[in-house]
């Protein structure tokens, strides 16, 4: 169970993302976005070492899904995925990574889709997030994921030996989107739009190419 500390972060997560997001191929906004943290959820690391967060940020009417991991030391071989470092008021220096390149997050995402893990509220310890929904129609666990590949709207992971099976993480969120016909599994979630209404969309799918 992840313990949520209500303390200071310097810089904040949104400040880190303001500089990082425009470098991503799936980001289509201005060079200097005005980001707002609008929603998302957390997952627990079974080992208790890594913070796992799926954050939704908005820039005007556009919404982006940003999976992040937070570590107490650098992740070996992942310099290319480093979003930045923050000083945490309780935990000290934290290394924030694009979670698509962190095996702890990708394992957690598969566990969520398959029903072996439960989405947790972003800001409350030991509290399930009831706005997150998932499904899985497979006969057994997904054996693993290949390296992430960014497109202009998503990050995709081929399933080795999966006969064309791919995990597609939606980076650009479309309110009202649902899983395509034939999807083997999916995750949906919600966030707050600039006008104060709640939007819901597809976050991830497990499907054939």
């Amino acid at each position: 169970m992840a313990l949520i500390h209500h303390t200071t972060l310097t810089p904040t997560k949104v400040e880190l993302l303001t500089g990082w997001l425009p470098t991503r191929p799936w980001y289509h906004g201005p060079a200097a976005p005005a980001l707002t943290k609008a929603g998302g959820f957390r997952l627990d690391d079974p080992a208790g070492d890594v913070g796992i967060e799926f954050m939704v940020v908005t820039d005007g009417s556009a919404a982006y899904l940003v999976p992040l991991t937070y570590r107490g030391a650098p992740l070996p071989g992942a310099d290319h995925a480093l979003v930045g470092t923050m000083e945490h008021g309780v935990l000290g220096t934290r290394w924030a990574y694009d979670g698509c390149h962190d095996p702890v997050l990708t394992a957690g995402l598969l566990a969520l889709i398959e029903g072996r893990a439960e989405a947790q509220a972003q800001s409350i310890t030991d509290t399930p997030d009831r706005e997150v929904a998932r499904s899985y129609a497979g006969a057994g666990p997904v054996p693993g994921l290949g390296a992430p590949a960014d497109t202009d709207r998503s990050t995709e992971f081929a399933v080795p030996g999966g006969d064309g099976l791919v995990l597609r993480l939606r980076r650009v969120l479309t309110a009202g989107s649902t899983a395509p016909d034939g999807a083997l599994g999916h995750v949906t979630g919600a966030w707050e739009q600039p006008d104060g209404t709640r939007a819901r969309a597809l976050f991830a799918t497990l499907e054939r190419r």
Side-chain angles (χ1 to χ4, degrees):
M1 177 187 71
L3 178 63
I4 306 300
H5 299 280
H6 296 281
T7 185
T8 57
L9 275 176
T10 307
T12 67
K13 298 172 187 177
V14 168
E15 287 170 340
L16 277 186
L17 292 178
T18 296
W20 179 81
L21 208 63
T23 69
R24 303 298 94 192
W26 38 263
Y27 173 76
H28 306 291
L35 299 180
T36 299
K37 182 180 176 181
F41 63 93
R42 286 180 175 265
L43 293 175
D44 284 336
D45 170 19
D49 296 328
V50 180
I52 306 170
E53 182 174 18
F54 289 76
M55 185 188 299
V56 178
V57 293
T58 55
D59 180 23
S61 61
Y64 298 93
L65 179 61
V66 186
L68 296 166
T69 55
Y70 311 110
R71 290 175 168 267
L75 175 62
D79 289 352
H80 63 290
L82 181 67
V83 177
T85 59
M86 304 175 291
E87 290 301 317
H88 189 284
V90 175
L91 301 175
T93 304
R94 302 293 283 172
W95 280 258
Y97 289 92
D98 178 352
C100 289
H101 297 264
D102 192 320
V104 173
L105 183 141
T106 55
L109 178 56
L110 283 179
L112 173 64
I113 291 173
E114 294 170 2
R116 297 181 286 108
E118 187 173 33
Q120 300 292 312
Q122 273 182 308
S123 303
I124 309 172
T125 299
D126 196 23
T127 301
D129 187 330
R130 301 303 184 191
E131 287 192 299
V132 176
R134 43 70 52 193
S135 75
Y136 182 59
V142 177
L145 297 175
D150 286 332
T151 74
D152 64 347
R153 296 188 66 84
S154 64
T155 300
E156 300 183 355
F157 307 80
V159 175
D163 191 27
L165 193 63
V166 61
L167 175 63
R168 182 171 290 120
L169 191 74
R170 266 64 177 180
R171 296 296 206 146
V172 182
L173 299 177
T174 302
S177 56
T178 58
D181 291 343
L184 190 63
H186 76 273
V187 176
T188 60
W191 70 96
E192 185 171 303
Q193 300 185 104
D195 64 2
T197 60
R198 298 291 288 176
R200 185 171 193 83
L202 191 64
F203 280 12
T205 55
L206 191 63
E207 58 187 288
R208 303 289 178 190
R209 289 190 184 277

